[in-house]
């Protein structure tokens, strides 16, 4: 049975045999969501957006606002119809500042979860395509679903049960379910890496062929 937010909550309480925690189950899922999206980098989360002059933080500077649902970049491309799209290189902030604003747009550095800086400075007509991992909208109504819950419901269940058992101070069961969630996340990240390029064995993912770190 495919789960939605309502049936997910019911399944959590049923698996734990803790119907008495129904008023707390939303919080368990919130905590699970936080853990999942800090660690998970799967194909279901990949999306794209064009950054244009309207996304620039300050006029004529190289700082741009990232999408509100941004988790992590896979790649940036300077869209150039005359000579083909140019993939930009991720560099450290210190290295980025060695390039002048008048240089060709070839490099970027993530300043924070909300801002990226490019060097050189894109023109007012330049378009930069961002391909990135996006955070799904937080569950709210009982009918809400997303692709992770639909395709990998065990990740939500185990991460939520880990939060539930931590709340009840059954730390052994909490760790058991957290280990299961982490193993499923790691396996999914590695599978995504094989499909999209460059899975790494240490850590969560590495998409080198797409310009990831």
């Amino acid at each position: 049975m495919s789960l939605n937010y309502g049936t997910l909550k019911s399944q959590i309480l049923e698996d734990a045999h803790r119907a008495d925690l129904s008023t707390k189950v939303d919080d368990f899922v919130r905590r699970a969501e936080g853990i999942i999206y800090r660690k998970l980098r799967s194909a279901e989360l990949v999306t794209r957006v064009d950054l244009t002059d309207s996304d620039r933080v300050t006029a004529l500077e190289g700082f741009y606002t990232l999408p509100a649902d941004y988790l992590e970049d896979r790649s940036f491309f300077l869209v150039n119809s005359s000579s083909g799209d140019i993939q930009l290189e991720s560099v450290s902030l210190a290295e980025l500042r060695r390039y002048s604003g008048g240089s060709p747009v070839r490099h970027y550095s993530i300043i924070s979860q909300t801002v990226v800086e490019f060097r050189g400075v894109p023109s007012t007509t330049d378009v930069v395509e961002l391909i990135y991992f996006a955070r799904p909208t937080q569950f709210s109504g009982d009918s809400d679903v997303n692709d992770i819950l639909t395709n990998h419901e065990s990740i939500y269940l185990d991460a939520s049960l880990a939060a539930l058992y931590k709340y009840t101070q059954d730390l052994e069961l909490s760790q058991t379910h957290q280990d299961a969630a982490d193993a499923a996340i790691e396996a999914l990240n590695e599978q995504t890496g094989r499909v999209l390029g460059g899975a790494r064995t240490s850590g969560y993912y590495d998409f080198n062929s797409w310009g990831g770190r």
Side-chain angles (χ1 to χ4, degrees):
M1 175 181 73
S2 295
L3 299 181
N4 57 28
Y5 183 39
T7 53
L8 169 65
K9 290 186 289 185
S10 297
Q11 191 66 55
I12 292 164
L13 297 174
E14 181 179 334
D15 287 359
H17 305 285
R18 291 302 302 263
D20 58 309
L21 294 178
S22 60
T23 61
K24 297 289 187 179
V25 69
D26 291 282
D27 184 53
F28 302 148
V29 177
R30 292 288 85 77
R31 295 182 186 188
E33 286 176 318
I35 292 169
I36 290 167
Y37 299 122
R38 280 195 300 272
K39 298 180 177 181
L40 183 65
R41 298 294 182 265
S42 71
E44 289 91 345
L45 303 182
V46 176
T47 189
R48 63 164 301 281
V49 68
D50 287 337
L51 301 181
T52 67
D53 194 56
S54 64
D55 299 298
R56 200 186 302 259
V57 175
T58 305
L60 304 180
E61 293 188 355
F63 300 93
Y64 284 67
T65 301
L66 292 165
D69 60 359
Y70 171 87
L71 286 172
E72 193 166 352
D73 58 281
R74 290 195 64 207
S75 56
F76 287 87
F77 290 92
L78 179 66
V79 178
N80 189 322
S81 58
S82 61
S83 58
D85 295 351
I86 299 169
Q87 185 172 4
L88 306 185
E89 180 184 356
S90 174
V91 297
S92 70
L93 184 57
E95 184 177 353
L96 186 77
R97 297 301 174 88
R98 290 201 286 267
Y99 299 98
S100 73
S103 303
V105 183
R106 295 293 185 272
H107 303 90
Y108 73 93
S109 185
I110 301 298
I111 305 301
S112 68
Q113 196 69 16
T114 59
V115 176
V116 58
E117 182 180 3
F118 299 105
R119 289 287 178 100
V121 175
S123 74
T124 58
T125 58
D126 279 340
V127 175
V128 178
E129 180 188 37
L130 165 61
I131 300 172
Y132 69 107
F133 294 101
R135 180 187 299 104
T137 301
Q138 189 177 76
F139 289 135
S140 177
D142 281 352
S143 62
D144 289 353
V145 297
N146 64 36
D147 289 340
I148 302 301
L149 181 59
T150 298
N151 298 332
H152 312 286
E153 63 184 42
S154 65
I155 292 177
Y156 268 102
L157 282 169
D158 278 312
S160 299
L161 285 166
L164 182 152
Y165 286 119
K166 186 174 182 180
Y167 174 79
T168 62
Q169 300 185 339
D170 189 335
L171 300 185
E172 183 175 354
L173 269 178
S174 178
Q175 190 61 56
T176 295
H177 285 284
Q178 190 58 62
D179 288 346
D182 286 345
I185 287 170
E186 184 175 359
L188 184 54
N189 287 347
E190 291 183 356
Q191 179 187 59
T192 299
R194 288 193 298 272
V195 172
L196 300 182
R200 70 185 181 194
T201 56
S202 60
Y204 291 105
Y205 79 101
D206 182 12
F207 296 114
N208 290 325
S209 65
W210 278 70
R213 295 183 295 277

